[in-house]
Structures are given as C-alpha cells and as structure tokens.
Amino acid sequence: VLNNFGHNDALDPGCIGACSFCVSGGAAIEPQRRALRAISVAFLDRYTREDVGAQSLLDGPARAAYVTAGTLWNGTMSGLSRCP
C-alpha cells in the first residue's frame, strides 16, 4: 500500500478523468509512481516468469527500503495516515 497516495495521483497530469470528488495525496507523486511501477513489474516478473530475483521488491530488502523511505505502508495501524 502506498502511503499518502490518492486516487487522482494514479492519473496522468491533465487527464480529463480527474475530478474534484477524488482527492490527491499529500506526498510527492514521482517517488510513489516509481514504487508502484517497480512493485507491479516485480509482481508480474515473479509470478508469470517465475523470476525469483524479483522477490526482493515484494518482501525483501528492496521493499524494506521503500518502507523506510515512507513510500510504502509499514503494515501496522500506526503507519496509516488518518482521514481528515
């Protein structure tokens, strides 16, 4: 789970699908998008190509680096941001 990443953050800037009903997160967008791309590709590589090297991004040191940076949720309730 990406920390502080809103629905609109997943859209490209200037997308006509962006609306005022969905909120944007408060975090910088590019680190979030890089993490999302890396983990998505790692998941597909791991389970469609059986590439065990991709496992590090799913539950190993590479994922831990994203958690330490605050980009990914740490898995605990205290790590979740509160809704306004």
Side-chain angles (χ1 to χ4, degrees):
V1 174
L2 295 169
N3 271 337
N4 212 0
F5 195 73
H7 289 102
N8 280 343
D9 294 334
L11 301 174
D12 289 330
C15 175
I16 61 171
C19 66
S20 59
F21 295 109
C22 295
V23 297
S24 295
I29 292 174
E30 279 312 306
Q32 303 280 3
R33 288 183 176 168
R34 277 194 302 275
L36 182 59
R37 284 191 296 265
I39 291 170
S40 297
V41 170
F43 178 84
L44 292 172
D45 282 348
R46 175 64 183 99
Y47 294 105
T48 62
R49 296 182 180 171
E50 298 180 6
D51 178 2
V52 294
Q55 191 69 38
S56 174
L57 268 164
L58 302 178
D59 61 10
R63 181 187 182 283
Y66 282 122
V67 171
T68 300
T71 305
L72 289 178
W73 177 44
N74 66 7
T76 66
M77 292 304 290
S78 63
L80 291 176
S81 56
R82 303 242 182 246
C83 294

